[in-house]
Amino acid sequence: MRIVIALGGNALLRRGDRPDAAVQQANIDRVATAVAALALEHEVVITHGNEPQIGLLAMESAADPVLTGPCPLDLLGAQTEGLIGSLLVRALHDTLPGRKIAALVTHTVVRADDPAFARPTKRVGPAYPRDVARSLARRRGWHIAKDATGWRQVVASPSPEGIVETETIHDLLTCGVLVICAGGGGVPVTADSDTGALHGVDAVIDKDLTAALLAEELKADFLLILTDVPNVYDGYGTHDPQPVLDATPAELRRGGYPDGSMGPKAEAAARFVERTGGLAAIGALDAAYEIVHGRSGTLVRPDLAIG
């Protein structure tokens, strides 16, 4: 079975962790353990989030007096693909001795006229108290928005339309390579309508939506979205949340999950199942093997109703 695994940002930095290299190195061992059992039995492609890492790089770039202006987000995204890809390759190399493993910097095509460019929504970087966030926004030209932890920078998040390296990823898979790709949703680019030339854009693509598109383009059998909760929950954050164990895409969409957390994961799972007839699941990183074998997580399945 071909499985595309989308690792949440918690894979490297859990809530409350400092973004130190040593912390990320230690956390990556959990990922290697979770993925290894599946990789021994199945064909695996890994994607990953980059929200804490790109936020840190953006903050450093904006404050660097050597630069005439901040480094654009597409190039910062490429840096995070290299950083996180290297950590994953090293950990999996030790966990899966003899296995071919490659991390590939991946580019994701978006539309230049995507309305998301006019409505920044993607949260990046750390949370700040309101006054601090407002001061940073004035000095650095940020857009900011409130979430559960404070005020954070928000950037444009256009919808993924295609993945430049899909054929390369497919070729690597046929050679038995475990591929790490499309990190942070991929480097966002537009393609010239006449020449096909690629141009980077200042944005961050949602990694779960890119994972769904990648799984579709690779004709994967299963999309596995791993996060820091064991299930999707109806009423999450209330006094009586109820786990959703099984859902069709339509049922999942009716849950109305928030954009800043479970919403993109639910939409990604729904899109993949609708477009391919395959299966998707959402659940906890440490339960990856159990999720694929139907013993944990929220399974998203096709609606088999007739008529």
Side-chain angles (χ1 to χ4, degrees):
M1 183 162 67
R2 179 172 291 179
I3 304 173
V4 171
I5 301 174
L7 300 171
N10 63 295
L12 290 177
L13 288 171
R14 289 179 282 185
R15 299 178 198 277
D17 280 349
R18 293 179 64 87
D20 294 334
V23 174
Q24 297 186 62
Q25 182 70 63
N27 285 341
I28 207 72
D29 292 338
R30 295 174 61 232
V31 176
T33 300
V35 169
L38 290 173
L40 290 171
E41 298 180 3
H42 304 286
E43 201 173 52
V44 168
V45 177
I46 299 174
T47 72
H48 58 79
N50 71 343
E51 184 180 295
Q53 292 81 12
I54 196 168
L56 180 62
L57 290 177
M59 183 171 60
E60 292 173 346
S61 174
D64 192 333
V66 175
L67 300 175
T68 58
C71 190
L73 290 169
D74 56 303
L75 296 184
L76 296 180
Q79 289 183 49
T80 66
E81 283 200 76
L83 183 157
I84 298 170
S86 176
L87 289 172
L88 286 168
V89 166
R90 288 185 243 172
L92 290 167
H93 178 272
D94 295 341
T95 309
L96 296 166
R99 185 68 178 269
K100 298 176 183 176
I101 304 166
L104 182 68
V105 174
T106 312
H107 301 78
T108 302
V109 177
V110 301
R111 293 196 339 262
D113 61 352
D114 191 309
F117 285 109
R119 296 194 303 271
T121 58
K122 183 70 172 175
R123 292 167 172 81
V124 298
Y128 301 95
R130 183 181 63 177
D131 292 345
V132 174
R134 287 180 173 176
S135 175
L136 287 169
R138 285 194 298 270
R139 294 203 316 267
R140 298 176 180 173
W142 287 359
H143 296 275
I144 57 172
K146 192 176 187 303
D147 70 4
T149 58
W151 290 78
R152 300 174 66 192
Q153 182 187 9
V154 290
V155 301
S157 184
S159 179
E161 300 291 327
I163 297 165
V164 175
E165 290 83 5
T166 296
E167 187 174 339
T168 302
I169 297 165
H170 183 272
D171 290 346
L172 289 168
L173 287 172
T174 60
C175 294
V177 179
L178 189 161
V179 184
I180 301 158
C181 59
V187 178
V189 294
T190 57
D192 188 278
S193 57
D194 296 323
T195 66
L198 301 178
H199 305 279
V201 293
D202 202 36
V204 175
I205 305 169
D206 183 85
K207 59 92 179 163
D208 293 309
L209 297 182
T210 296
L213 178 61
L214 176 66
E216 179 185 351
E217 292 188 352
L218 291 175
K219 297 180 170 55
D221 305 289
F222 202 107
L223 172 63
L224 177 59
I225 299 175
L226 299 176
T227 183
D228 57 355
V229 293
N231 297 93
V232 176
Y233 288 90
D234 280 337
Y236 184 75
T238 69
H239 69 282
D240 188 28
Q242 296 297 313
V244 178
L245 303 180
D246 180 278
T248 65
E251 290 167 346
L252 202 59
R253 287 197 176 102
R254 284 198 292 271
Y257 303 105
D259 290 340
S261 56
M262 190 56 72
K265 295 173 176 57
E267 177 59 27
R271 285 188 193 184
F272 173 73
V273 173
E274 280 180 338
R275 294 177 180 180
T276 70
L279 296 174
I282 303 170
L285 170 67
D286 295 326
Y289 188 87
E290 287 74 17
I291 295 168
V292 171
H293 290 83
R295 299 193 292 268
S296 186
T298 297
L299 179 69
V300 187
R301 53 178 171 75
D303 185 348
L304 302 179
I306 300 175

